Amino acid sequence: MINYLPPELTYSVSHAFINAGIVRVPGVKLEFPVELGKLRIKNPIGLGAGIDKDGLLVGSIANSGVGFVTIGSVTLRPRLGNPKPRIVKYPHLKAMVNAMGLPSRGFMDFMSRINNIIKVIGKFNVSLVVSLAGFSIEEFLIMLNRLRNFGIHAVEINISSPTYHGSWISDPKYLSELLNALEDFDTLFFIKMPLGVGLDFYKWIAHEAEKHGYGLTIANTLPVSEPRISVGYGGLSGYPIYPLVKALIRRVRAWGFRGPVIGLGGVFHGWQVIELLRSGANLVAVVTAFAYEGPFVFNRLLREFVSLSVRF
Ligand SMILES: Cc1cc2nc3c(=O)[nH]c(=O)nc-3n(C[C@H](O)[C@H](O)[C@H](O)COP(=O)(O)O)c2cc1C
């Protein structure tokens, strides 16, 4: 029912409920650890970027069975994002289109809470990924320098938001300068792939990530036009993009990419978690399923995943 209310209203009300502790998920004891190099993640199911943009919810969802949480995308300076309406839901398709426009309280605001965030995720043994969005290489570097030594488990580099209007993707020279610059940090990086671009780009970025030892997050939303959104376009997420994501993970593995992969896009069921892992993902995240179901989704996915894994 809640999913038929105005989407931004649902978004703000559910954030307020989760934050206030009104929505409480019973603690989950199931563990299904995944090893990524030195990192041990208690289970492969996590929250993707876009729900907890400023790290305000993580404390309330850390005990929901989630294996890892992605905070962000955080931008260096505070941003309001696009004018509303900026989300349109398609509940019958388990999908939505959004053009949030990378709203963020800004990096300094996030950093003011980082010690508490690290404490709470440590308490529940949840791994932390921070997604950074930047409009220049310098912006990324300023944030990465400040994040050094905080023990963040991984950083996701968002180069694929529809808000960039393709800038990072259409300028591989500048993008490769950014990828080179990341070499200076002793961090597990995931480069977030776009949907809807040509095979040449995918091949190139998979090759670059392999060369530098970075992981890939596959994938961001699919850019589409949507006249009901203030800016007339947005990114499609949810069930309809699932086949594209699965195919892209398979392709990247077939090209020989050996680094870690976070698969996300349209996952609503435990069988999809298994399918993405079998396609070559190491971890699986959800965003739209969380938007529809709230933090209960992790408990359900984990139970479905574990019971199916035992049967196969
Ligand atoms: C409301 C909303 C906001 C999002 N914000 C971000 C973001 O800030 N950074 C980012 O990298 N991806 C963002 N995404 C994309 C998701 O992380 C994910 O890649 C995409 O939605 C596909 O997964 P899903 O089908 O499970 O939603 C957002 C998605 C939605 C629906």
Side-chain angles (χ1 to χ4, degrees):
M1 191 59 208
I2 194 169
N3 287 315
Y4 290 88
L5 294 172
E8 288 254 4
L9 182 67
T10 324
Y11 196 85
S12 327
V13 170
S14 28
H15 271 59
F17 276 20
I18 296 168
N19 242 337
I22 296 169
V23 178
R24 269 200 191 284
V25 186
V28 182
K29 290 264 162 352
L30 283 177
E31 297 224 350
F32 211 96
V34 177
E35 314 259 336
L36 284 188
K38 288 178 277 177
L39 183 60
R40 187 175 193 269
I41 302 180
K42 73 172 174 187
N43 78 64
I45 302 169
L47 179 66
I51 296 286
D52 192 7
K53 284 183 180 278
D54 298 295
L56 296 168
L57 293 187
V58 63
S60 312
I61 61 177
N63 194 25
S64 61
V66 71
F68 65 100
V69 170
T70 311
I71 291 176
S73 296
V74 180
T75 58
L76 181 60
R77 289 182 194 83
R79 289 171 55 86
L80 288 174
N82 289 325
K84 295 173 185 173
R86 47 194 186 175
I87 302 179
V88 173
K89 279 189 171 174
Y90 308 89
H92 53 296
L93 294 176
K94 292 185 173 170
M96 61 207 285
V97 171
N98 91 84
M100 299 296 284
L102 293 172
S104 172
R105 290 181 174 215
F107 185 70
M108 292 316 284
D109 177 87
F110 164 67
M111 290 303 279
S112 70
R113 270 172 284 104
I114 193 152
N115 287 320
N116 282 340
I117 293 173
I118 287 172
K119 207 152 91 191
V120 78
I121 60 141
K123 180 171 166 204
F124 295 108
N125 188 23
V126 171
S127 302
L128 178 62
V129 182
V130 177
S131 162
L132 299 179
F135 295 84
S136 67
I137 295 175
E138 290 68 32
E139 287 191 358
F140 279 110
L141 296 186
I142 291 169
M143 293 187 280
L144 286 167
N145 271 313
R146 290 294 310 272
L147 278 176
R148 272 188 215 268
N149 308 323
F150 273 96
I152 306 289
H153 299 110
V155 172
E156 192 170 85
I157 300 292
N158 179 0
I159 51 148
S160 48
S161 167
T163 302
Y164 293 128
H165 299 289
S167 55
W168 288 108
I169 296 156
S170 55
D171 193 349
K173 198 163 162 281
Y174 198 52
L175 178 54
S176 78
E177 276 176 44
L178 170 66
L179 298 178
N180 287 338
L182 300 181
E183 287 258 5
D184 289 343
F185 299 87
D186 181 22
T187 303
L188 171 57
F189 284 112
F190 288 89
I191 311 301
K192 186 142 182 195
M193 300 270 253
L195 282 183
V197 301
L199 275 188
D200 285 352
F201 178 84
Y202 289 131
K203 237 183 208 167
W204 176 78
I205 193 90
H207 177 261
E208 288 293 301
E210 173 80 18
K211 186 176 86 187
H212 291 290
Y214 306 151
L216 294 172
T217 300
I218 302 176
N220 215 316
T221 53
L222 178 68
V224 292
S225 49
E226 173 42 271
R228 286 173 292 172
I229 283 184
S230 65
V231 290
Y233 67 87
L236 176 68
S237 63
Y239 212 58
I241 67 168
Y242 176 70
L244 302 177
V245 164
K246 188 173 79 176
L248 187 52
I249 295 172
R250 287 201 172 144
R251 242 183 226 282
V252 159
R253 288 302 187 201
W255 288 330
F257 180 73
R258 286 165 301 166
V261 169
I262 302 176
L264 88 159
V267 172
F268 282 81
H269 303 287
W271 62 262
Q272 293 174 294
V273 175
I274 295 191
E275 217 174 50
L276 288 193
L277 295 178
R278 287 191 173 167
S279 302
N282 303 86
L283 301 171
V284 174
V286 295
V287 173
T288 301
F290 184 101
Y292 276 105
E293 219 172 301
F296 305 99
V297 71
F298 301 115
N299 194 333
R300 180 178 64 75
L301 283 176
L302 188 58
R303 284 179 197 286
E304 288 177 11
F305 164 68
V306 171
S307 71
L308 287 169
S309 307
V310 170
R311 249 177 270 159
F312 280 109

